[in-house]
Amino acid sequence: MSPGVVVTVVGARPQFVKAAAVSGPLRRRCREVLVHTGQHYDDEMSKVFFDELGLPRPDIHLGVGSGTHAEQTARMLERLEPRLAELRPRCVVVYGDTNTTLAGALAAAKLELPVAHVEAGLRSYDRRMPEELNRVVADHLSTLLLCPTETGVSNLAREGITRGVHLVGDVMRDVLERFLPQARARFEAWRARGLEPGGFGLITVHRAGNTDDAATLGAVVSAIETVDDPAVFPVHPRTREALKRDGGWKRLEACRGLRVVPPLGYLEFLGLLAHARWVATDSGGVQKEAYLLGVPCLTLRDRTEWVETVADGWNTLLGDDLGRLGAAVRDLRPPDRRHDRYGDGRAGERVAELIAS
Ligand code: UD1
Ligand code: UDP
C-alpha cells in the first residue's frame, strides 16, 4: 500500500466538475493520481472542463471510448486493474453514477482497496436507469460514503449501510459558487446575440431513456416545439446522433427562437443557466444547479434522485406527459423561497479531509 497515494477515477462530464471541488483540497493533503477513463473524449465533453476549472491533467488516460455498457465497463476494468495493482493507493475516489464510477469502485474493491464514493446514497428508485444500477453497486462496495444530502444518508440506512457514511454537502455547489462570477461574465456574449436575461429557456437532454427510443425522442422534440419562449439547446453527442437518425434534428432547426448548439463549456453553460427564465432537462446535475440558482426546472423524467428540488416546488417532473412542457413554461409560478439544501460550498474540503484521515 502506498500510504500517501490516492487515486481519483473520472471519465464523464459531470465528474470533471465534481473533481474540480476535491482535487485541490486533496492535493494539499496527499498525492493524487488522476485517472481519466476516456468515457467522454470530445474536447467539448472533456478538455474544456479541465481548461476552465483548473483541473490538473490526468496522470493516466485509459482511452476506453464509447461502446455498449458491458464493452465500456469491461475495457475500464481491464485497464484499471493493473494500474491500481501497481499503485496500491490508500484509497480510490469515484464520483456519481456513471460506468466510470462502477468500474472504478469494482476494480478497487476486488483488489481490496478502500473506495470513497462522492455523491453516495442518491436513489431515483428506477432500476431502468443504468445510473441507478451504478450507484447502488458503487455504494455497496464503498468504505467511505460521502453524501450530498440527508436524503442520501437515510437512503443508505434503509439498505443497511451506516458505517463510513458522512454528510458532507454537495461538491457541485462548491464549484458553482467559485465560478459563478466568471460564468455570469460569459453571458455577455449571448446578450450581444439577442438573449435577454430572464427572457429565455435552456434545454438539455441526454438520458438513454429519452434518446434511445425513437418514439420517446419524438415526444421530446414535439414538447420542445410547443414552447413559446426563445431557448438555447446545447445538444449532447448521444442526442445529436439520435436526432439525426430519427429526423428530429430538422424539426428542431425549424423551431423559431430555438438555438441548437454543440455542448457548451461549464462557464458558458452556467452563465446561460444563471440568466434563464427556466430550464428543461433530464440531467441530474442541472436540476440541482437550477435549484441553487433559483431557476425553475422542468424535468423530462418521471423520477429524480434530487427529491428536495421537487419537494420545495422548484422542480416539476414531466416524464409521464412531456406534452405539458409548453404549458408548464407559460404557467411558471416558482415559490419565493429555497432552503440551504446542498451544503455550504465547502464540501470538497470535507471530502478531502475524510479521505486523508
Ligand atoms: C454518461 C453517463 C450518464 C451521465 C452522462 C453525462 C453512463 C451509463 N452514463 O452518459 O450517467 O449523465 O454521461 O453526460 O455512464 N459520445 C461522443 N463523444 C463523447 C462522449 C460520448 O460522441 O465525448 C457519444 C457516443 O456515441 C456514445 C454516446 O455519446 O456512444 C453515449 O456516451 P456514454 O458515455 O456511453 O454515455 P452518456 O450518454 O454520455
Ligand atoms: N454542462 C455543461 N455544458 C452543457 C451541459 C451541461 O457544462 O452543455 C454541465 C452542467 O452545468 C453540470 C454538468 O455539465 O455541471 C452536468 O452534466 P450532465 O448533464 O452531462 O450529467 P448528469 O449530471 O446528468 O450526470
Side-chain angles (χ1 to χ4, degrees):
M1 179 100 35
S2 316
V5 176
V6 170
V7 169
T8 297
V9 183
V10 293
R13 173 165 75 181
Q15 293 166 335
F16 310 137
V17 178
K18 292 165 198 176
V22 178
S23 183
L26 198 56
R27 281 174 191 233
R28 286 197 284 280
R29 295 169 170 90
C30 356
R31 182 161 98 77
E32 182 189 40
V33 175
L34 187 63
V35 178
H36 189 322
T37 60
Q39 175 167 356
H40 286 172
Y41 42 86
D42 292 343
D43 282 358
E44 61 216 21
M45 296 296 290
S46 174
K47 181 175 180 297
V48 66
F49 294 89
F50 285 80
D51 292 346
E52 289 188 351
L53 304 176
L55 255 185
R57 297 290 127 191
D59 300 285
I60 297 173
H61 201 297
L62 302 178
V64 300
S66 304
T68 66
H69 287 278
E71 285 165 354
Q72 192 178 52
T73 311
R75 281 202 291 270
M76 290 178 194
L77 286 170
E78 218 168 48
R79 295 177 197 188
L80 259 176
E81 185 181 60
R83 301 305 193 123
L84 294 180
E86 186 190 333
L87 286 161
R88 302 274 338 151
R90 62 182 291 176
C91 181
V92 175
V93 187
V94 296
Y95 291 90
D97 54 20
T98 73
N99 289 345
T100 291
T101 317
L102 173 66
L106 190 54
K110 292 257 172 139
L111 290 168
E112 296 181 28
L113 297 169
V115 177
H117 185 200
V118 181
E119 214 178 74
L122 296 184
R123 296 291 182 267
S124 64
Y125 296 104
D126 179 358
R127 292 232 171 163
R128 292 167 308 169
M129 291 179 69
E131 291 81 5
E132 184 77 354
L133 305 177
N134 292 343
R135 288 182 197 120
V136 169
V137 176
D139 281 341
H140 283 261
L141 295 175
S142 292
T143 329
L144 211 47
L145 296 107
L146 305 161
C147 299
T149 58
E150 282 168 22
T151 314
V153 175
S154 45
N155 289 343
L156 290 175
R158 233 176 290 143
E159 292 172 26
I161 306 178
T162 49
R163 278 188 60 186
V165 177
H166 300 266
L167 177 62
V168 291
D170 192 277
V171 292
M172 285 178 98
R173 176 172 181 165
D174 300 18
V175 183
L176 183 147
E177 287 184 0
R178 189 159 123 221
F179 288 96
L180 192 54
Q182 285 179 57
R184 285 191 186 283
R186 290 289 287 272
F187 181 72
E188 292 314 311
W190 280 95
R191 196 198 295 261
R193 287 159 68 188
L195 279 191
E196 287 298 325
F200 67 96
L202 184 61
I203 302 171
T204 83
V205 180
H206 72 274
R207 247 349 112 202
N210 278 331
T211 61
D212 288 9
D213 169 61
T216 310
L217 187 61
V220 170
V221 173
S222 301
I224 294 171
E225 286 172 333
T226 65
V227 169
D228 300 326
D229 278 5
V232 183
F233 182 4
V235 185
H236 187 287
R238 169 196 282 280
T239 316
R240 182 184 58 219
E241 265 174 45
L243 285 166
K244 292 212 162 163
R245 188 178 58 227
D246 298 340
W249 189 262
K250 287 209 164 62
R251 286 172 60 195
L252 289 180
E253 281 184 330
C255 284
R256 261 190 54 225
L258 180 67
R259 301 176 200 220
V260 181
V261 298
L264 301 174
Y266 181 76
L267 296 177
E268 192 169 4
F269 184 83
L270 189 65
L272 280 167
L273 185 55
H275 291 91
R277 186 169 92 86
W278 51 270
V279 62
T281 189
D282 57 11
S283 159
V286 174
Q287 290 175 59
K288 183 179 47 189
E289 288 168 341
Y291 182 88
L292 291 169
L293 293 166
V295 175
C297 184
L298 303 157
T299 292
L300 308 172
R301 286 167 46 183
D302 51 15
R303 313 230 186 132
T304 183
E305 54 284 1
W306 300 105
V307 290
E308 306 81 10
T309 60
V310 177
D312 289 357
W314 284 88
N315 189 1
T316 309
L317 300 176
L318 294 181
D320 53 356
D321 183 6
L322 295 171
R324 287 189 293 150
L325 180 63
V329 165
R330 277 188 293 279
D331 301 340
L332 280 178
R333 264 183 229 95
D336 29 68
R337 11 194 332 246
R338 280 171 292 141
H339 299 281
D340 237 355
R341 295 286 199 185
Y342 297 111
D344 58 3
R346 293 179 47 78
E349 285 288 341
R350 263 180 230 112
V351 167
E353 188 55 47
L354 285 160
I355 291 169
S357 63

